[in-house]
Amino acid sequence: MAYLFTSESVSEGHPDKVADRISDSILDAYLSLDPKSRVACETLVTTGTVVLAGEITSNGNPDIHQVVRNAIADIGYTKSEYLFDGNSCGINVLLHKQSPDIAMGVDGKEDQGAGDQGIMFGYATNETPEYLPATLAFSHRLVKDLAKIRKQEPSLMPYLRPDAKSQVTIEYGADRRPKRVHTIVVSTQHDPFDKDEAMAKKIREDVINILVPRVIPAELLDKDTIFHVNPTGKFVIGGPHGDSGLTGRKIIVDTYGGRGAHGGGAFSGKDPSKVDRSAAYAARYIAKNLVAAGIADEALVQLAYAIGIAKPVSLNVNTFSTAKVNLSDEEIAWRIESLFDLRPKAIIERLGLTMPIYAPTAAYGHVGRDSYSAPVKLSYAEINETRDVYSETRKTFVQEAVFFSWERLDAVADIQQAFA
């Protein structure tokens, strides 16, 4: 029986994503100075103002104000007419140290405990190259390409401003595979370049004729596909001036678009000792490699932890009856548990999560991205302490870091061998 399913995405200029980007940029700034930094940074953005709150313990001391301004400018908020720009916004810093009660259960060696209790999910499906539901993959592509046009090809749509949203509805067949795109919704902030009716007409034409063909497969579009482009008619006032933004309010956009499941914990602004983030990445890594290894067409992996305890209290696998091996989901989970070390320290080491790699995750999904390596600048402290003298020097160097390491398919061979 055919059915409809919908997912949404938002651009890097959406106020909640601005907040996520600031939080992750601050996290990166601390990790570049101290890989053992403990960071939980929440951000509020509104008209002309950024508020930072949370807990940070680190031997690094970055220029937080400059980090915030650079992040905002990189998104594209550089004009005073937006009533929120990186050059002039006020920044209120309300950060303090992490609770020692939490720290004593988290800091350690191999048995480093989880930073909190909670449940985390990782999901993958083979219906797109991104191993994501097509509804979410297409939604991400739409807003990501809008940003590319705005930044790199402005002559195509010269009126674009940073804030945008997308939503894609797909008709699925009884086999749970995409059949056609039913509805596309795009709302994009824009300059006031003409009368309202003329602006609406021009933007609709450009979205349908320029944007959509670049990112949606033509074979999934037909004469009955419905388009809603800036449905209110005008979208000049946007960004943090139009709506306040908060870290962690787009957790479904960040993950699987409503498919699979979500444990409820946000990612941005959290160092990898927080299993909300690191274990969710590990669960995605397992699910994606399971599907890529041909064990199932679709997989959902759940992990659960108790604060201060290293080993997960449970691991569950659901293949939605798509398994290609003659094993129950429970038996698949047993093999996965023996194959992967899911203690927080082991996850952090396997995925290289103490590197400053997080700012790029803040928009267009933490999953479904291409993994890549790039040099990062690090400046770690060397501390010399005697009875009477304490001194600290910093060694600055460049090192290759792997971004989106949890998207690699380097566990496929091990999984195939384990299930042979």
Side-chain angles (χ1 to χ4, degrees):
M1 181 177 179
Y3 63 94
L4 301 178
F5 191 80
T6 303
S7 298
E8 70 160 349
S9 185
V10 298
S11 73
E12 63 200 75
H14 185 281
D16 293 332
K17 286 286 125 194
V18 174
D20 284 345
R21 171 65 182 275
I22 291 170
S23 291
D24 274 334
S25 295
I26 290 171
L27 170 61
D28 282 348
Y30 276 99
L31 290 175
S32 70
L33 300 176
D34 178 7
K36 296 180 180 179
S37 294
R38 295 289 183 255
V39 179
C41 180
E42 311 295 341
T43 303
L44 161 70
V45 292
T46 187
T47 304
T49 304
V50 176
V51 179
L52 307 176
E55 303 79 44
I56 296 179
T57 300
S58 174
N59 66 30
N61 186 29
D63 184 343
I64 291 178
H65 285 73
Q66 195 58 52
V67 170
V68 172
R69 295 191 189 284
N70 290 346
I72 294 169
D74 186 64
I75 292 168
Y77 286 108
T78 56
K79 299 179 181 179
S80 59
E81 64 200 77
Y82 297 160
L83 298 183
F84 180 85
D85 76 272
N87 296 321
S88 64
C89 66
I91 302 172
N92 299 320
V93 181
L94 306 173
L95 298 167
H96 58 276
K97 286 190 175 183
Q98 183 188 57
S99 162
D101 291 352
I102 295 175
M104 70 180 188
V106 173
D107 296 334
K109 297 182 179 179
E110 276 67 29
D111 284 332
Q112 170 183 321
D116 200 354
Q117 70 174 50
I119 56 174
M120 303 86 205
F121 290 92
Y123 172 80
T125 172
N126 61 11
E127 69 182 61
T128 65
E130 295 95 330
Y131 289 85
L132 290 179
T135 51
L136 180 63
F138 296 168
S139 294
H140 282 327
R141 293 179 197 176
L142 286 166
V143 285
K144 190 173 185 179
D145 221 61
L146 270 178
K148 181 180 179 182
I149 291 171
R150 175 173 58 86
K151 291 180 170 182
Q152 301 177 21
E153 305 170 82
S155 61
L156 291 178
M157 300 172 74
Y159 47 79
L160 291 177
R161 289 184 173 184
D163 195 359
K165 300 182 75 172
S166 62
Q167 186 172 284
V168 176
T169 301
I170 286 181
E171 180 181 327
Y172 285 80
D175 59 356
R176 292 171 60 90
R177 311 304 291 181
K179 298 302 180 186
R180 58 181 293 272
V181 174
H182 180 278
T183 302
I184 295 174
V185 182
V186 174
S187 296
T188 181
Q189 187 188 14
H190 59 88
D191 293 332
F193 61 90
D194 206 335
K195 293 182 179 179
D196 290 358
E197 187 175 333
M199 286 193 298
K201 183 175 183 292
K202 172 63 174 170
I203 295 169
R204 177 181 172 84
E205 291 174 350
D206 287 352
V207 166
I208 294 174
N209 298 323
I210 296 174
L211 176 65
V212 170
R214 290 164 60 121
V215 296
I216 307 294
E219 63 271 19
L220 293 178
L221 299 168
D222 58 39
K223 62 181 178 61
D224 295 320
T225 298
I226 300 166
F227 293 91
H228 296 297
V229 180
N230 282 11
T232 65
K234 184 168 70 172
F235 187 6
V236 173
I237 300 171
H241 176 54
D243 293 285
S244 62
L246 291 169
T247 301
R249 282 206 305 198
K250 287 293 177 284
I251 58 175
I252 301 304
V253 170
D254 287 342
T255 52
Y256 307 107
R259 285 270 287 274
H262 197 293
F267 301 156
S268 289
K270 295 178 179 178
D271 75 82
S273 73
K274 282 74 171 171
V275 284
D276 274 345
R277 185 169 214 163
S278 54
Y281 289 171
R284 161 64 175 182
Y285 177 67
I286 293 169
K288 184 177 180 181
N289 278 269
L290 266 177
V291 172
I295 306 304
D297 291 335
E298 190 175 0
L300 179 69
V301 175
Q302 186 206 49
L303 299 172
Y305 291 82
I307 188 169
I309 305 300
K311 290 185 178 180
V313 300
S314 68
L315 184 154
N316 179 269
V317 174
N318 184 352
T319 63
F320 304 93
S321 301
T322 68
K324 306 301 181 185
V325 292
N326 190 27
L327 296 170
S328 67
D329 286 351
E330 184 181 23
E331 290 169 321
I332 292 173
W334 289 342
R335 297 201 184 189
I336 290 299
E337 191 169 13
S338 66
L339 196 58
F340 293 93
D341 188 343
L342 294 170
R343 294 173 297 171
K345 182 177 174 61
I347 293 171
I348 290 167
E349 290 180 349
R350 180 165 189 156
L351 300 180
L353 299 182
T354 60
M355 298 292 276
I357 55 173
Y358 295 101
T361 70
Y364 314 119
H366 290 245
V367 296
R369 310 286 292 276
D370 292 331
S371 181
Y372 63 92
S373 296
V376 295
K377 183 179 179 181
L378 306 172
S379 185
Y380 293 163
E382 294 181 351
I383 298 173
N384 301 303
E385 189 172 4
T386 65
R387 178 180 296 180
D388 302 317
V389 179
Y390 172 93
S391 64
E392 176 184 305
T393 58
R394 286 202 170 268
K395 179 182 178 183
T396 300
F397 57 100
V398 174
Q399 184 172 319
E400 285 287 308
V402 180
F403 291 74
F404 299 99
S405 57
W406 50 94
E407 291 297 304
R408 293 178 300 183
L409 294 175
D410 55 359
V412 166
D414 289 340
I415 289 174
Q416 289 174 334
Q417 184 176 357
F419 284 84

